[in-house]
Amino acid sequence: MQITCVGHAGLHIETRCGTILCDPWMNPAYFDSWFVFPDNSELDWDRYGKVDYLYVSHLHKDHFDPENLARHVSKDATVLLPDYPVPDLRDELEALGFTRFLVMPSGKVIETNGLRLMAEVLQSPADGPLGDSALAVDDGTARILNQNDARPTDLDALRSFGPYDVHFLQFSGAIWWPWTYDLPTEAKRSFGAAKRANGLDRATRYVKEIGAKYIVPSAGPACFLDDDLFALNDLNGDPANTFPDQPVFLDYLRDQGIEGGKLLVPGATLEVDAERCEVRWPTTVERAMEPFTDKERYLKAYADRQRDRIEADKRRWPVGEVDILAELKKWFEPLLELADHIKPGVGGPVLLRPGDGPPIVIDFPAGEVRGYAGETCRYQFTIARPLLEQLIVNHETDWVNSLFLSMRFRARRIGPYNEYLYTFFKCLAPDRLMYAEGWYADKSHDEEDIPLGDWIVQRRCPHLRGDLGRFGEINGTTLTCTMHGWQFDLTTGRCLSTDDESYQLRCHPKQPVAR
């Protein structure tokens, strides 16, 4: 099997039974905030687009690049389609001209034309834009897992497909916390350091659980080329930066005693079979490593190449063309009528500040959008008016997958992260909202209990059902699910990461052994 890195989570997989193109991202994403690192714009995309199969893991814009798909990827390709409960991904691909689909139910092995394939399909509202997925491929010469940035909570099905030769997975941040929040610099650095450490640790846990011979850092980090965002890049291995690059993770693995890490850059090819795993570089090793060994110079030159494009795109953002309050009222209030679980989950008014314009309140308990009346709002967002107008003009039904990941906003909150609030901003269409509401209505806890340290706890985390037997850590009387960093007080079962009482953990101390 021969696997070529085409940038970020993008892979071109040549098997003895056909070719597969995964997540081919090239164009800037999230209001021109994210760019592929290292630069992949010089690849021969027409060549890589002539494939038998296309796999798009999910609809995040650093995985789903409609312009690249439309221009360069053969519409004769069969789409390996994760079986999501909402049809958004299929609808988007059909709109681009793809007509052949092989639907892949989660955890089910599919055999086609000599290939063994399996997708692990995540379906909670907190996974990607209402879903994420991983893909396992076996052509008889090698077996690989492309986890990209999926965070599967049940690894039994994935492990049953193995053992694996190569494991591709995300290790770097893809979140706006804490940099967009109005916090003191030292607090941001403290939270950033914790976030970085948790991300590296979580990825390492997946590596250990999957147990592949070789590990390839994938699906990040992006780089930030706009002058307003350039400081987000990790130029010098800053321990507080949430966007570490590939060599950082490979060093981390070695520090954990894990060998087999492989570095790929766009155009580099990995040849693997049962006996060997070799990397071929598209140029000299010294030149291929420049993005990492001389990162600041590399990114500044990259930014110079993209500056005109960024400025041109900014000039196209609308200014003063939209009555923001009226449009949001017309758009959001019918959705709030449907949000029986989300409204009490948010629990209060949310303040939107459109630049210097009049502030707007999304009043979740009342189910209305109105002008700000001076009340206390636990959650506040300041968004430049042109961006807010663009969201409205485009009728962006997922603000997480457009605005928030762009880092082009400011936030403030009183209290913990609120999952319901960000779920609402992902679900700005009735079908999406109804799916999320159904998820919350049907959410139930796993009845199985397991021993963990000196405690008996339910096996599945109340947050997103992560397996606490694999991802649970106890420090004193605090249990941390390292899947997403959520914490619980073992003396009471109370969730320490949210004030939502539905996340209560079932737990009690082990009974002493009778003597």
Side-chain angles (χ1 to χ4, degrees):
M1 186 181 292
Q2 179 173 291
I3 307 154
T4 301
C5 170
V6 293
H8 202 63
L11 302 174
H12 180 268
I13 306 170
E14 297 178 63
T15 79
R16 66 175 186 171
C17 310
T19 51
I20 308 170
L21 181 62
C22 304
D23 289 346
W25 173 43
M26 179 183 67
N27 294 286
Y30 311 120
F31 288 113
D32 284 17
S33 293
W34 287 37
F35 287 77
V36 182
F37 174 77
D39 187 5
N40 65 351
S41 59
E42 297 301 316
L43 294 180
D44 185 350
W45 284 103
D46 287 330
R47 172 195 163 200
Y48 292 122
K50 294 177 182 177
V51 288
D52 299 298
Y53 300 97
L54 170 68
Y55 167 68
V56 176
S57 59
H58 62 302
L59 276 173
H60 271 162
K61 296 181 187 297
D62 57 319
H63 297 258
F64 173 73
D65 181 348
E67 183 178 347
N68 198 16
L69 292 168
R71 289 187 177 185
H72 299 292
V73 180
S74 170
K75 304 308 175 291
D76 292 329
T78 297
V79 176
L80 304 176
L81 185 72
D83 189 15
Y84 291 126
V86 290
D88 299 27
L89 178 56
R90 181 169 188 149
D91 290 348
E92 294 282 358
L93 290 168
E94 285 182 337
L96 294 174
F98 293 96
T99 60
R100 301 177 181 179
F101 294 87
L102 178 59
V103 178
M104 304 190 68
S106 185
K108 180 180 179 180
V109 176
I110 294 176
E111 298 190 10
T112 177
N113 298 326
L115 284 174
R116 288 179 68 244
L117 304 168
M118 188 179 74
E120 182 74 5
V121 184
L122 311 182
Q123 301 180 353
S124 90
D127 288 312
L130 296 191
D132 203 342
S133 64
L135 178 70
V137 180
D138 178 7
D139 72 344
T141 69
R143 191 176 296 122
I144 70 170
L145 174 61
N146 176 15
Q147 187 178 333
N148 61 82
D149 51 5
R151 298 181 187 177
T153 57
D154 189 343
L155 301 181
D156 292 341
L158 285 176
R159 278 201 302 265
S160 71
F161 191 90
Y164 294 96
D165 297 292
V166 189
H167 183 187
F168 298 83
L169 80 164
Q170 185 197 54
F171 61 96
S172 188
I175 192 68
W176 51 91
W177 168 263
W179 312 114
T180 62
Y181 280 78
D182 292 332
L183 295 166
T185 299
E186 284 308 307
K188 286 187 180 182
R189 290 189 57 79
S190 177
F191 288 127
K195 189 73 177 175
R196 177 183 177 115
N198 187 61
L200 294 171
D201 179 67
R202 179 178 59 242
T204 302
R205 286 172 176 265
Y206 278 120
V207 166
K208 292 177 178 178
E209 290 289 337
I210 295 300
K213 296 178 186 176
Y214 305 101
I215 305 101
V216 180
S218 182
C223 61
F224 306 91
L225 303 182
D226 191 338
D227 292 341
D228 294 337
L229 303 171
F230 193 83
L232 292 170
N233 295 301
D234 186 15
L235 301 179
N236 301 299
D238 182 353
N241 189 287
T242 55
F243 303 101
D245 58 28
Q246 292 88 328
V248 170
F249 182 53
L250 294 176
D251 289 342
Y252 188 86
L253 290 179
R254 281 190 289 269
D255 289 344
Q256 300 292 312
I258 300 172
E259 302 296 333
K262 299 288 184 180
L263 175 63
L264 295 182
V265 297
T269 296
L270 185 148
E271 293 188 1
V272 60
D273 58 30
E275 305 298 329
R276 66 192 178 97
C277 181
E278 298 179 3
V279 175
R280 293 205 317 266
W281 298 93
T283 181
T284 65
V285 173
E286 291 76 14
R287 185 172 179 185
M289 290 296 293
E290 282 182 9
F292 312 107
T293 58
D294 197 1
K295 191 170 183 178
E296 185 169 4
R297 184 207 60 79
Y298 177 86
L299 289 179
K300 285 182 176 178
Y302 192 177
D304 287 342
R305 297 195 299 274
Q306 296 292 338
R307 184 163 286 108
D308 288 346
R309 177 175 187 168
I310 294 171
E311 294 306 317
D313 287 345
K314 286 182 178 180
R315 287 193 293 272
R316 284 192 284 269
W317 297 344
V319 180
E321 301 175 10
V322 176
D323 184 335
I324 294 175
L325 175 58
E327 292 297 326
L328 290 183
K329 188 176 185 68
K330 181 170 63 176
W331 184 1
F332 286 4
E333 287 189 353
L335 298 174
L336 291 168
E337 288 183 15
L338 305 174
D340 293 337
H341 293 84
I342 290 175
K343 282 189 296 189
V346 176
V350 174
L351 182 62
L352 298 182
R353 294 187 181 275
D356 296 330
I360 296 168
V361 164
I362 307 172
D363 190 334
F364 280 85
E368 65 177 1
V369 178
R370 54 175 172 75
Y372 180 49
E375 65 269 48
T376 298
C377 296
R378 291 178 58 195
Y379 305 100
Q380 301 182 23
F381 299 93
T382 299
I383 306 166
R385 185 182 180 99
L387 295 187
L388 198 50
E389 290 192 30
Q390 188 73 56
L391 292 168
I392 294 169
V393 169
N394 293 348
H395 201 75
E396 291 280 359
T397 58
D398 182 353
W399 285 18
V400 170
N401 190 27
S402 49
L403 171 67
F404 295 126
L405 284 169
S406 78
M407 319 291 281
R408 296 185 185 275
F409 72 104
R410 307 305 304 168
R412 179 178 296 178
R413 76 185 191 206
I414 302 171
Y417 172 84
N418 189 296
E419 176 188 314
Y420 291 97
L421 177 58
Y422 288 101
T423 295
F424 177 77
F425 282 125
K426 286 183 181 181
C427 298
L428 299 176
D431 57 341
R432 281 176 163 252
L433 191 69
M434 284 291 89
Y435 171 68
E437 283 289 315
W439 174 271
Y440 289 127
D442 294 341
K443 186 173 67 173
S444 61
H445 298 315
D446 192 322
E447 291 301 319
E448 182 182 2
D449 291 340
I450 61 170
L452 196 63
D454 295 327
W455 298 83
I456 301 295
V457 302
Q458 66 187 62
R459 179 181 176 185
R460 300 290 176 184
C461 176
H463 174 218
L464 287 177
R465 301 181 182 139
D467 187 342
L468 294 175
R470 297 192 178 104
F471 294 96
E473 283 188 351
I474 293 177
N475 184 7
T477 59
T478 299
L479 168 65
T480 299
C481 176
T482 60
M483 177 70 65
H484 295 94
W486 280 44
Q487 295 185 318
F488 301 85
D489 178 4
L490 289 168
T491 63
T492 63
R494 184 173 65 88
C495 181
L496 302 176
S497 300
T498 179
D499 52 7
D500 181 356
E501 295 180 357
S502 70
Y503 287 98
Q504 183 81 7
L505 179 77
R506 187 173 65 253
C507 58
H508 60 81
K510 283 183 180 177
Q511 296 298 320
V513 177
R515 294 185 181 275

